[in-house]
Amino acid sequence: DGDVKHQIANVIRQVAKEYHFLSLKEYRALLTLYNICMEEVRGKINGKPYHGLVYSALNDKGEKVGNPFKSSLFGKSVGIEALEKRIKKSTEIIKSKGLKERSKSVISAAMQTCKTRKDFEKTLSKQGVSVIFRTNDTGRIYGATFIDHEQKCVFNGSRLGKEFSANVFNEMFKNDKYPSHDLQPELESGKSFNRENQGSDSIFGLFTFETGGGNADEMEEKALTRRMKKKRKQKRI
């Protein structure tokens, strides 16, 4: 509600300045906590290659609403060049200060005591840590991202160690009937915005949208993306 552009600007500028993340994927996961979607765009303008970012608002179901905003509308600090520099700086800071250790300790302790995904999330929350699980349409967990708000750090589970990988959590919670609150925009790679919704941003029709980053879960994520595209085509028919 209200001035969406202004609200997005306030969040992304602060997040990009204060939090440490080691990839655009981790930055994107962090923004979903604030109902914001970030996507990479690639294409050509007058024959020259272009690589940038767009931001969109999300509703409570994780669906994009309204028109997307080019990162340039919010200033250079939230553009791809600045974020890549932030990633490089974050890598050095996290390593030199050993910031992974606190997060690993908190998560490991919760894993030892919690039997359900809901309890796990609540326990982490009390310690200032958020977790975002990504699941496919069968409920299998194929990705986990942890946000340590105490240290302002974002980590994909596999980056913390094999014991925090998606497969481990999938096994932990395989018998746990948990409603999915995953934010689908994070999975929709290779997607272009509908021209009817582009408004003044019709230039985006030239680009493809990516979620970036190869990882151990990439094959499963791509398979899910294909299924989602197939479902959207069936709906249009």
Side-chain angles (χ1 to χ4, degrees):
D1 295 331
D3 188 344
V4 175
K5 179 183 174 184
H6 182 69
Q7 292 178 56
I8 291 178
N10 286 341
V11 172
I12 63 178
R13 286 169 182 164
Q14 184 172 353
V15 163
K17 179 181 178 181
E18 295 185 356
Y19 278 80
H20 301 297
F21 38 88
L22 304 177
S23 70
L24 287 177
K25 184 173 183 178
E26 291 173 351
Y27 172 65
R28 181 172 57 251
L30 171 60
L31 290 182
T32 62
L33 293 181
Y34 303 95
N35 282 34
I36 296 174
C37 173
M38 181 279 289
E39 293 172 295
E40 291 183 67
V41 292
R42 294 178 185 272
K44 290 186 177 181
I45 298 179
N46 298 325
K48 295 182 179 180
Y50 175 84
H51 183 201
L53 303 175
V54 294
Y55 295 90
S56 306
L58 301 174
N59 61 21
D60 290 336
K61 294 181 180 180
E63 302 165 335
K64 290 194 291 283
V65 291
N67 291 324
F69 299 97
K70 293 177 287 188
S71 64
S72 58
L73 296 175
F74 304 112
K76 292 183 178 180
S77 66
V78 292
I80 193 162
E81 290 185 7
L83 291 174
E84 287 177 342
K85 290 180 180 178
R86 180 64 175 172
I87 289 170
K88 184 177 180 180
K89 182 179 179 180
S90 294
T91 302
E92 297 171 355
I93 292 175
I94 289 172
K95 184 177 180 179
S96 64
K97 295 186 177 181
L99 298 183
K100 285 185 180 181
E101 299 312 310
R102 189 263 177 183
S103 300
K104 289 170 67 174
S105 178
V106 169
I107 298 166
S108 181
M111 291 172 71
Q112 297 298 319
T113 59
C114 299
K115 302 299 182 183
T116 67
R117 178 173 157 181
K118 187 174 182 180
D119 286 342
F120 181 65
E121 292 176 349
K122 284 185 176 180
T123 300
L124 289 181
S125 180
K126 291 178 181 178
Q127 297 295 320
V129 176
S130 298
V131 56
I132 298 173
F133 287 112
R134 294 180 293 283
T135 60
N136 63 16
D137 51 1
T138 65
R140 179 180 175 81
I141 296 173
Y142 69 83
T145 302
F146 297 91
I147 297 96
D148 188 331
H149 300 287
E150 292 292 325
Q151 300 187 116
K152 296 191 182 304
C153 292
V154 188
F155 302 108
N156 277 340
S158 57
R159 196 185 297 279
L160 291 174
K162 292 182 179 179
E163 64 271 35
F164 305 105
S165 67
N167 287 337
V168 172
F169 292 109
N170 187 67
E171 184 66 23
M172 278 183 62
F173 305 129
K174 64 181 180 181
N175 297 320
D176 188 9
K177 294 182 179 180
Y178 188 92
S180 176
H181 298 294
D182 297 297
L183 301 177
Q184 296 301 336
E186 192 169 354
L187 310 179
E188 298 178 10
S189 61
K191 177 177 179 291
S192 295
F193 282 108
N194 188 316
R195 287 183 178 275
E196 295 178 356
N197 296 325
Q198 288 172 10
S200 61
D201 294 305
S202 60
I203 189 172
F204 291 148
L206 299 172
F207 303 121
T208 56
F209 289 68
E210 304 178 349
T211 58
N215 53 57
D217 308 306
E218 187 175 7
M219 294 298 293
E220 189 165 4
E221 186 170 349
K222 287 183 177 180
L224 173 58
T225 300
R226 288 194 293 271
R227 289 195 292 272
M228 291 173 65
K229 288 182 178 179
K230 184 176 180 181
K231 287 181 180 179
R232 286 197 292 269
K233 289 180 180 178
Q234 289 175 341
K235 287 181 180 180
R236 285 198 293 269
I237 293 173

